[in-house]
């Protein structure tokens, strides 16, 4: 049978589509991972011809690929690109989508259709609804929804419920691009393919865990969205909680979508609620003021485009999460994320407890540092004797540079991996409905407590490490945020 693949990208002219999705599809095409019978159709309200859309996407692919951009393969790829102008909030407009689809592949058995919703979350439910009503949510059609899914637990429930009316759960792909990152998947390899760590991966041996996703960028052209979302909804509710799940979950029975997601959801359900009574002590909100990032002066958040001048949206959040289960009781998980910070780093630090009895003067603790970005590296800090007289110790690093370890293999961008998974109908690295809802349930409690306590964001200068309160939150417990020594 001649199977035709049709990928409709709603929001096809937006930042995500242009900077990530189309470039990822282009790279997959170059690598011969996509079928020959395929069309990618950008959708948005702007009026534009196919040729104009090809020009627009070429520009973004050139800037994404840099030196690796190959004009000849682009010429082949761009024949597979088309554009459809329609207002996705109006039911009547879907006749255009239907006409296009039927013209490309009239026989339902001979087509696989993917609807990628790269639009604001407010449109997710109505797009799914309209696709269903017009009869295009066919049995093997898949729908991909971006994070954050909604704005709160109530809105996530409503979106999930409405999308569920048109699409079966196995055809709904809730994407979190952090799960597509090589090093994030490596967390599972590290934990479940090495016998070494399992015996010590628990409260008896681990003092605490830090998960930091720090960015130097501001909010660019996304002020309208970001001012409604803030760091909690934009990053912590999804990316950071997914990382926490991968660190804390039990070993799944098999490496398949249901088994992995069953274990992740148990972690989310075991998160101890942060309430009005604990929110002051356990959380910090921050917002950047003017400063210097990477040698460049940048404006305060409230001067960003489409942001209210008196906005109290947080651009930084730090908090202490606790997991109420047998493995993790009493182990703090410190999470932090923010924009316009001193350096771009995503890393997870597992700090082990000290040895039970000291033999030497200068004992330190072991740390496992898993760096996800900018470089991909796993470092285990061990105590070793400094050569020479006496028994003086110092931490030394067992260091694996993952890019170096697999020099000959091309490293995939997260969206390449995840888009190919959707095409191949593998949902292991996507979030299930109950996972997203459990994450919102916990986050909603914090958002409510912030509101009840009128907890205002603390100012921090752009280019700094975040608000002083975040440092103090750990200092009060005799701990500090890990900072890799400058190279
Ligand atoms: N940008 C990023 O780095 C990331 C974004 N995301 C998520 O991806 C989604 C999109 O984000 P982003 O690309 O930044 O947003 P943008 O604001 O840049 O793009 C929105 C897109 O939606 C289109 N659109 C808006 N309203 C309609 C409508 N009624 N009918 C049809 N098209 C419409 C816009 O075009 P037009 O106005 O012409 O209709 C535009 O193409 C969001 O859910 C976001 O949270 C997730 C991870 C990273
Ligand atoms: O989802 C998002 O992620 C990016 C950060 O992604 P990364 O892969 O560059 O770490 C963040 O900038 C953006 O605000 C958020 O929506």
């Amino acid at each position: 049978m001649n199977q035709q693949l049709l990928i409709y990208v709603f929001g096809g002219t937006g930042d995500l589509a242009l900077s990530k999705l189309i470039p990822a599809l282009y790279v997959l095409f170059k690598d011969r991972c996509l079928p020959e019978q395929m069309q990618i159709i950008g959708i948005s309200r702007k009026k534009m011809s196919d040729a104009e859309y090809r020009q627009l996407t070429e520009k973004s692919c050139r800037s994404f690929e840099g030196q690796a951009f190959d004009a000849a393969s682009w010429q082949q790829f761009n024949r597979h690109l088309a554009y459809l102008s329609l207002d996705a909030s109006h039911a009547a407009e879907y006749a255009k989508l239907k006409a296009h689809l039927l013209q490309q592949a009239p026989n339902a058995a001979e087509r696989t259709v993917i609807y990628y919703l790269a639009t604001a979350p407010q449109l997710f439910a109505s797009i799914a609804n309209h696709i269903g009503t017009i009869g295009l949510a066919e049995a093997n059609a898949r729908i991909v929804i971006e994070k954050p899914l909604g704005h709160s637990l109530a809105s996530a429930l409503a979106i999930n419920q409405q999308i569920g009316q048109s699409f079966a759960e196995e055809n709904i792909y809730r994407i979190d691009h952090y799960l597509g990152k090589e090093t994030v998947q490596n967390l599972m390899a590290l934990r479940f393919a090495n016998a070494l760590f399992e015996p010590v991966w628990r409260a008896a041996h681990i003092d605490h865990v830090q998960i930091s996703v720090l960015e130097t960028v501001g909010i660019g052209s996304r002020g309208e969205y970001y001012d409604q979302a803030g760091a909690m909804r934009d990053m912590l509710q999804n990316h950071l909680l997914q990382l926490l799940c991968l660190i804390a979950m039990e070993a799944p029975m098999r490496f398949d979508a249901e088994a992995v997601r069953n274990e992740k959801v148990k972690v989310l359900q075991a998160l101890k609620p942060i309430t009005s009574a604990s929110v002051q002590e356990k959380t910090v909100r921050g917002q950047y003021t003017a400063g210097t990032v990477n040698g460049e002066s940048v404006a305060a958040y409230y001067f960003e485009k489409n942001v209210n001048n008196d906005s109290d949206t947080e651009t930084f959040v730090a908090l202490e999460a606790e997991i109420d289960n047998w493995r993790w009781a009493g182990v703090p998980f410190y999470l932090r994320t923010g924009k316009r910070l001193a350096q771009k780093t995503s890393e997870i630090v597992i700090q082990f407890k000290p040895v039970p009895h000291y033999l030497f003067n200068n004992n330190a603790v072991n740390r496992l540092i898993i760096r996800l970005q900018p470089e991909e590296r796993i470092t285990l800090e061990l105590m070793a004797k400094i050569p020479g007289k006496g028994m003086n110790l110092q931490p030394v690093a067992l260091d694996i540079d993952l890019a170096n370890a697999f020099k000959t293999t091309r490293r995939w961008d997260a969206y390449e991996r995840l888009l190919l998974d959707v095409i191949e109908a593998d949902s292991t690295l996507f979030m299930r409905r109950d996972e997203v809802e459990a994450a919102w349930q916990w986050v909603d409690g914090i958002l409510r407590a912030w509101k009840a306590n009128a907890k205002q964001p603390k100012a921090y200068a752009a280019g700094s490490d975040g608000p002083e309160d975040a440092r103090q939150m750990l200092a009060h417990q005799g701990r500090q945020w890990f900072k890799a020594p400058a190279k």
Side-chain angles (χ1 to χ4, degrees), residues 197-396:
F197 294 112
E198 171 53 21
V200 292
W201 208 260
R202 57 193 66 247
H205 298 282
I206 293 181
D207 177 74
H208 73 272
V209 176
Q210 297 183 14
I211 301 178
S212 301
V213 179
L214 314 178
E215 298 187 275
T216 49
V217 291
I219 52 163
S221 59
R222 299 169 69 213
E224 199 175 332
Y225 151 76
Y226 194 89
D227 205 36
Q228 300 295 315
M232 181 64 116
R233 295 182 175 94
D234 184 48
M235 297 289 287
L236 199 134
Q237 188 273 343
N238 32 82
H239 303 326
L240 277 87
L241 286 185
Q242 284 295 320
L243 295 178
L244 176 138
C245 285
L246 296 178
I247 292 294
M249 73 194 224
E250 297 300 317
M253 257 165 55
R254 292 175 302 278
F255 187 62
D256 71 21
E258 286 320 298
V260 170
R261 300 192 294 190
N262 283 344
E263 295 308 331
K264 285 200 291 167
V265 79
K266 285 185 209 160
V267 175
L268 294 166
Q269 287 165 345
L271 284 170
K272 182 174 177 172
I274 293 180
T275 61
S276 271
S278 55
V279 77
Q280 293 295 355
E281 180 202 341
K282 304 250 179 223
T283 71
V284 174
R285 303 178 73 212
Q287 190 188 84
Y288 60 83
T289 57
T292 307
V293 180
N294 293 333
E296 207 179 290
S297 298
V298 298
Y301 174 71
Y302 44 78
F303 286 136
E304 298 267 18
K305 198 167 156 233
N306 292 329
V307 165
N308 278 330
N309 285 357
D310 60 353
S311 168
D312 68 353
T313 299
E314 77 286 349
T315 58
F316 176 99
V317 60
L319 57 80
E320 178 188 339
E322 291 167 89
I323 303 172
D324 274 345
N325 68 14
W326 194 286
R327 188 184 284 270
W328 294 114
V331 180
F333 281 69
Y334 301 111
L335 274 47
R336 71 179 162 154
T337 183
K339 298 226 181 266
R340 289 283 190 233
L341 295 168
Q343 52 176 349
K344 178 173 172 71
T345 332
S346 302
E347 73 197 345
I348 299 168
V349 177
I350 317 282
Q351 175 139 343
F352 292 93
K353 290 191 167 159
V355 293
H357 175 65
Y358 291 139
L359 295 182
F360 311 108
N361 288 333
N362 46 350
N363 278 282
V365 289
N366 302 123
R367 265 191 305 218
L368 178 66
I369 300 150
I370 305 160
R371 182 168 276 214
L372 314 174
Q373 299 181 143
E375 21 9 303
E376 300 177 13
R377 146 185 312 278
I378 299 174
T379 306
L380 181 59
E381 287 183 354
L382 300 173
M383 294 306 290
K385 178 184 171 294
I386 303 169
K389 193 166 166 278
M391 210 41 203
N392 296 312
L393 309 188
Q394 185 181 295
V396 287

Side-chain angles (χ1 to χ4, degrees), residues 145-218:
I145 350 173
E146 266 295 341
K147 49 86 5 198
L149 202 153
H151 194 71
S152 58
L153 176 60
S155 59
L157 284 167
I159 293 171
N160 278 331
Q161 198 258 339
Q162 291 189 42
I163 295 181
Q165 283 174 0
S166 302
F167 291 86
E169 178 64 26
E170 69 264 23
N171 290 332
I172 305 174
Y173 290 74
R174 298 177 187 84
I175 201 163
D176 180 318
H177 76 273
Y178 266 59
L179 296 177
K181 289 182 190 277
E182 283 292 348
T183 341
V184 174
Q185 292 161 49
N186 234 325
L187 290 176
M188 285 187 275
L190 183 79
R191 288 197 54 203
F192 305 131
N194 295 292
L196 212 59
F197 294 112
E198 171 53 21
V200 292
W201 208 260
R202 57 193 66 247
H205 298 282
I206 293 181
D207 177 74
H208 73 272
V209 176
Q210 297 183 14
I211 301 178
S212 301
V213 179
L214 314 178
E215 298 187 275
T216 49
V217 291

Side-chain angles (χ1 to χ4, degrees), residues 11 13-16 44-46 86-88 118-119 146-148 222:
T13 58
D15 182 71
L16 178 70
S44 75
R45 290 169 300 185
K46 275 178 210 76
L86 67 84
D87 185 339
T119 64
E146 266 295 341
K147 49 86 5 198
R222 299 169 69 213

